[in-house]
Amino acid sequence: MNATDEGHTSPPENPAPPAPRHARLTGYDTFVERVRKACTSPGTQQALRRGLAKPVHEVPARTHAALLRDGLVPDEVKGEERRAHYAVAALIAARPRAERVADTRDDQGTAEQLPGVLKQPPDGTPPATEQKPSWGTSLGTSLARAVISDRDRENGIESRLHLLVRQETDGLHRMLPAVMRLLGSTGVPADYGRLLHDIAHWTYRREESSTRWLEDYYRTLRRARQSDRGGN
C-alpha cells in the first residue's frame, strides 16, 4: 500500500523554493549572520550580551569594541538605527547556549539560506513563475506561532504583545529581551533580520510596524484555527 492508498498526500517531487528575501532586508540579514558567527567566540558573545537593553551610550567599552573593531556595525549607521543594531546583537548573544549552538533558522530562510533571484532561461523566455519578495517573519507572526505551540500561554503572550506595541523607543528596547526569551522558551525561532528592520526606525514608523505585528499575530492564529477545524 502506498502513501496515497493510506489517505496521505505525497509531497510534490519539485516543491517551490521559498521566496527570495526582500532586498531591503539584505543588509540587516548580513549583520545578523555576522553577529551569529562572532558569537562562536565566548569572549565576543559575552561582550555583546553586556549591551542588553542598554542605550548605546551606556554599553561597556568592550561591547563597542566587539561591534566596531571588525566593522560589524556599518560605519554609516547612526542614531536610532545604530541603537537597533546594538540591541539585536545583544539579543542574539543573550540566547541560551543550546540555541546558539543549534542556531535555528526561520522557516522562510535567513541570510545563509536565501534563495537566489529567479534566473531567466537561456532562450530569453521569462521564468515560469515570479515570486514576490518575502519580508520574512514579523515578531507578530513569531508570537502567534508561540501560542500555537503552547495554547496555555495565549493570554500572557497576547497581553505582552499589546503592551509592546504601545511602547516608545526606550520602552520597546527594555521589553524586547523578555519577549525574545519567551519565544526561545517555546522553541519558536526569531527572524532577527526582520526584527532589526522593524525597530531601526521605530520612532518614526511605530504605527506602521506595530499595526503589522498585530495584523500578523491575529491572522496567523486565525489561519491556524481554521486549518484545525478543517482537519476535524
Side-chain angles (χ1 to χ4, degrees):
M1 181 180 294
N2 57 34
T4 303
D5 293 333
E6 294 175 352
H8 300 291
T9 302
S10 299
E13 293 183 2
N14 298 301
R21 299 272 280 192
H22 197 287
R24 288 178 61 183
L25 294 177
T26 301
Y28 301 123
D29 286 333
T30 298
F31 173 77
V32 167
E33 290 306 309
R34 294 188 67 193
V35 169
R36 289 183 192 273
K37 292 176 181 177
C39 284
T40 60
S41 164
T44 300
Q45 181 262 326
Q46 287 295 325
L48 295 179
R49 183 178 181 178
R50 287 182 180 274
L52 197 65
K54 293 183 174 72
V56 174
H57 68 275
E58 291 183 7
V59 303
R62 60 183 297 200
T63 303
H64 288 289
L67 286 166
L68 301 176
R69 181 188 293 117
D70 297 322
L72 287 181
V73 177
D75 292 342
E76 66 273 12
V77 172
K78 306 294 182 183
E80 187 173 343
E81 188 168 7
R82 179 175 60 180
R83 181 177 185 179
H85 280 72
Y86 274 63
V88 167
L91 290 169
I92 293 170
R95 295 177 304 163
R97 184 177 182 277
E99 289 183 38
R100 299 197 308 273
V101 171
D103 215 8
T104 54
R105 294 293 187 260
D106 185 284
D107 63 5
Q108 293 193 24
T110 57
E112 291 184 352
Q113 298 176 314
L114 303 186
V117 176
L118 291 176
K119 301 259 193 298
Q120 188 172 15
D123 60 5
T125 58
T129 59
E130 290 287 349
Q131 289 182 297
K132 188 175 181 180
S134 169
W135 280 96
T137 304
S138 76
L139 185 57
T141 298
S142 295
L143 289 172
R145 291 176 178 174
V147 170
I148 293 166
S149 70
D150 187 352
R151 297 285 186 180
D152 291 338
R153 303 178 74 169
E154 180 170 0
N155 290 338
I157 290 174
E158 184 177 34
S159 297
R160 187 75 60 89
L161 175 61
H162 285 188
L163 181 58
L164 186 66
V165 297
R166 297 199 301 269
Q167 299 301 308
E168 301 289 348
T169 301
D170 287 344
L172 174 75
H173 283 276
R174 282 194 299 268
M175 285 193 64
L176 278 174
V179 171
M180 305 316 283
R181 285 195 299 270
L182 183 154
L183 279 182
S185 71
T186 62
V188 175
D191 184 340
Y192 286 100
R194 170 64 186 276
L195 179 66
L196 178 54
H197 168 274
D198 287 350
I199 69 175
H201 308 287
W202 186 261
T203 296
Y204 306 103
R205 302 181 65 178
R206 184 183 69 174
E207 183 176 345
E208 176 184 343
S209 295
S210 61
T211 299
R212 187 176 298 116
W213 289 0
L214 289 167
E215 289 176 343
D216 289 347
Y217 176 81
Y218 287 109
R219 285 172 178 164
T220 301
L221 286 182
R222 184 184 72 239
R223 289 165 182 164
R225 285 163 179 160
Q226 288 173 340
S227 178
D228 289 344
R229 288 195 296 269
N232 293 331

